[in-house]
Amino acid sequence: MSQQTIDGLLLKEMIIAGANLLEQNREAIDALNVFPVPDGDTGTNMSLTMKSTVKEIAAQDLPSAAKMASQASRGALKGARGNSGVILSRIFSGINRGFEGVSEATLSDIAHAMKCGVEEAYRAVPVPVEGTILTVFSDGVRFANERITEESTLKTYFNDLLGEMQRSLERTTELLPVLREAGVVDS
């Protein structure tokens, strides 16, 4: 992945790949679920939200990043389940807002859209709690966005994003006592 832009077709592939990985790890995510209530459904709710997202975009061959993001946002909103699904749908809504009018998203466009995703996710939660998906996504986006240079590619951007999200996930036990007591990271 040495390219520096995302069009609608690549965005579609990325969303579908992400949904597949989430489904493969759904049960493990459910097993981590202790906050806000230990009901063991976070992975399931996020997976159902992503299935709805994929259903909305699967038959679409939209070359525009903005148009694909709009369809993905619509699918996520229609299928949002539970707190985690609603937050995920709001991330997609923010990304959609950030890609507005963009046919082929540059790294600058991607950084802007991801930041919009963070803002929208935080607005969706009446009382945001640090040490959750909000923190992990926000930390990753901030870290990756700060490291964009002239030499950056999609690969370097997403490596930075995912690497910091993993480090942030590991820090969730420091932010939420319920996670520390249960011996798990945020689901």
Side-chain angles (χ1 to χ4, degrees):
M1 197 189 314
S2 64
Q3 67 187 89
Q4 294 181 315
T5 61
I6 294 177
D7 64 8
L9 300 176
L10 180 55
L11 181 59
K12 174 183 171 178
E13 288 177 30
M14 294 169 72
I15 292 168
I16 291 170
N20 289 337
L21 281 171
L22 180 59
E23 178 57 28
Q24 290 169 16
N25 292 284
R26 178 181 46 80
E27 291 178 7
I29 296 167
D30 282 344
L32 295 172
N33 184 203
V34 297
F35 182 83
V37 291
D39 51 9
D41 64 356
T42 295
T44 298
N45 287 337
M46 290 176 70
S47 185
L48 289 170
T49 301
M50 288 304 297
K51 282 181 182 180
S52 177
T53 306
V54 168
K55 182 178 178 185
E56 193 73 24
I57 66 171
Q60 303 291 330
D61 287 324
L62 303 168
S64 163
K67 290 180 180 176
M68 190 62 73
S70 176
Q71 293 298 309
S73 177
R74 180 189 341 256
L77 180 61
K78 285 171 33 177
R81 302 288 188 273
N83 291 335
S84 57
V86 169
I87 292 169
L88 186 56
S89 77
R90 300 325 301 155
I91 289 171
F92 274 102
S93 175
I95 291 170
N96 175 44
R97 182 169 45 91
F99 276 163
E100 198 169 287
V102 175
S103 181
E104 193 165 335
T106 64
L107 286 171
S108 177
D109 295 325
I110 295 163
H112 172 69
M114 297 294 271
K115 185 174 183 238
C116 290
V118 169
E119 292 166 355
E120 188 74 26
Y122 271 89
R123 277 197 297 268
V125 179
V127 181
V129 175
E130 296 304 326
T132 65
I133 185 176
L134 297 171
T135 307
V136 172
F137 186 59
S138 176
D139 287 351
V141 169
R142 184 178 57 255
F143 184 86
N145 286 2
E146 289 172 353
R147 279 155 185 72
I148 295 175
T149 67
E150 298 273 329
E151 293 79 36
S152 294
T153 63
L154 291 179
K155 183 177 182 177
T156 61
Y157 180 83
F158 285 104
N159 281 344
D160 285 342
L161 177 75
L162 296 173
E164 183 58 23
M165 289 174 73
Q166 181 63 45
R167 290 184 292 275
S168 180
L169 178 65
E170 292 165 9
R171 293 189 300 264
T172 60
T173 57
E174 300 167 17
L175 298 172
L176 270 179
V178 67
L179 298 176
R180 186 174 42 256
E181 291 167 14
V184 298
V185 295
D186 186 55
S187 57

